[in-house]
Amino acid sequence: MGLSLRLALLFFVAFVSFQQLSASDDDAIFYDSFDETFEGRWIVSDKDDYKGVWKHSMSEGHDDYGLLVSEKARKYAIVKELNKPVSLKDGTVVLQYETRFQNGLECGGAYIKYLRPQETGWMAKEFDNESPYSIMFGPDKCGATNKVHFILKHKNPKSGEYVEHHLKFPPSVPSDKLSHVYTAVIRPDNELRILIDGEEKKKANMLSAEDFEPPLIPAKTIPDPDDKKPEDWDERAKIPDPAAVKPDDWDEDAPMEIEDEDAVKPDGWLDDEPLEIDDPEAIKPDDWEDEEDGEWEAPKIDNPKCDAAPGCGEWKRPTKTNLAYKGKWHAPLIDNPNYKGVWKPQEIPNPNYFELDKPDFEPIAAIGIEIWTMQDGILFDNILIAKDETVAEAYWETTWKPKFTVEKEKQKVEDEVIGSDGALAGFQKKVFDLLYKVADIPFLSAHKLKILDIIEKGEKQPNLTIGVLVSIVVVISTILFKIIFGGKKPAKVEPKSSGAAAETSNKEGSSEEKEEENEKEDNAAAPRRRRRED
């Protein structure tokens, strides 16, 4: 079946499903498809920290609008007050929404806060990270953090304080640029289910210490904070044997290795030959000035005579393991007769303990998105609060699934194209990554801009990869040739007797020094290039 025919069928199914869905709209407590602009319905925070610009934008590749995070490295805050607070204590409640990381997600959040009524009255324009919420739900990824949060902010009935209770071992965030739907189902039997794209990823019990940290129900007992370890309490399970004595023949000073007295110098060992000699083929450059450049010395090479002989230079006996070596003596360990175990304070009843049959949920008075992200292109869509799992399923079947199927088809085609050129593309990426590292080599610093120019041209025209490699090899070979045969070798130069001559020499310098100075000035004046980062 052709791609166009499959897409047409998908759109037809979506249309029919939408007609079926519209009949059940009354089952949604809250729903926003963002088909219309959010302006006038959602309130953007006036707080100074939140400068990120929200936009009403189409999802890439679809005729479907959403709420878009449009700028990088910004804080965003926007809120929608509900007409009537939603109780989380009466039956099942389903929280669901879609999000798409159109430019990928390396560092940022895309979660939603379900806000409880404000203690001093609702002030949407002042929505920020301190605004009280009942539940925080959704993906968050940055550095070592990669999770779909579910955080319940619960009022401690003993202290009256609100405590954040985090879901343990939450699912990971899908690492792609496709649309995904996140669903949290809160049931009256304290069961929590987290679904991604309709597939259950986590099931938990709200009141279980195994599922939430800290647990909603405190421990019945706690360590007594006033209990102190007795001074004579011995926690050592083993102790050195006090009756043990170091043997008379135990030599603590014996070395670990000794010379092998049985070793014999191999026949043919060249004692008087050095390991390296001057390169006999090296020639002093014609432009080498001893007075300015110092005494010329030929570069060193491995002594070929050593390759043909067992070895060169002073012969020394090899070492071997010393069988008499024993190291420092320690008394052997024995069971400690006074061992009492690891001390722990005694347990006492927890004065803050309480029992719960179910969480004392605060109602949801508003829906807020308050995030900090280094990424742009994050799109929120189809935010839903429902009282039935089947209703939520019907929504994602008709709103998310058709889009996701189209995106998967497109990705499949792109993967097939990339697959045919994958080997070459992978080779080219490795080549350019290596070349950027080559450009950072210190002795190439004077030619860095030239090398970067060649690399950037090659990236724009990947078919020139081999030519780029050849060009950079030529540049590096030329530099190495100058260093080995025509460059100046650091050497001590005796000061000249004539002060005037010395002054002239210092002022003028060599032509090569001037050229290097000019190149440094050009590099300083040139606009700074930004290194490519993956």
Side-chain angles (χ1 to χ4, degrees), residues 125-186:
K125 283 287 187 179
E126 296 188 8
F127 173 48
D128 61 10
N129 65 321
E130 298 297 327
S131 298
Y133 65 86
S134 291
I135 291 172
M136 188 176 110
F137 170 54
D140 187 16
K141 181 181 178 183
C142 193
T145 299
N146 183 344
K147 65 179 71 173
V148 178
H149 286 289
F150 187 92
I151 304 173
L152 170 64
K153 207 159 192 179
H154 189 262
K155 186 177 182 179
N156 185 309
K158 285 272 190 177
S159 66
E161 295 179 354
Y162 284 91
V163 179
E164 287 187 355
H165 301 273
H166 294 245
L167 177 66
K168 288 184 178 180
F169 312 114
S172 300
V173 182
S175 57
D176 55 43
K177 300 179 182 181
L178 308 180
S179 298
H180 294 284
V181 58
Y182 296 88
T183 308
V185 182
I186 303 167

Side-chain angles (χ1 to χ4, degrees), residues 495-509:
K496 299 183 179 180
S497 58
S498 171
E503 182 179 350
T504 304
S505 175
N506 289 337
K507 284 184 179 179
E508 292 180 358

Side-chain angles (χ1 to χ4, degrees), residues 1-13 409:
M1 184 184 294
L3 177 60
S4 59
L5 180 56
R6 279 183 284 182
L7 294 181
L9 286 174
L10 286 171
F11 285 125
F12 175 75
V13 170
E409 288 286 344

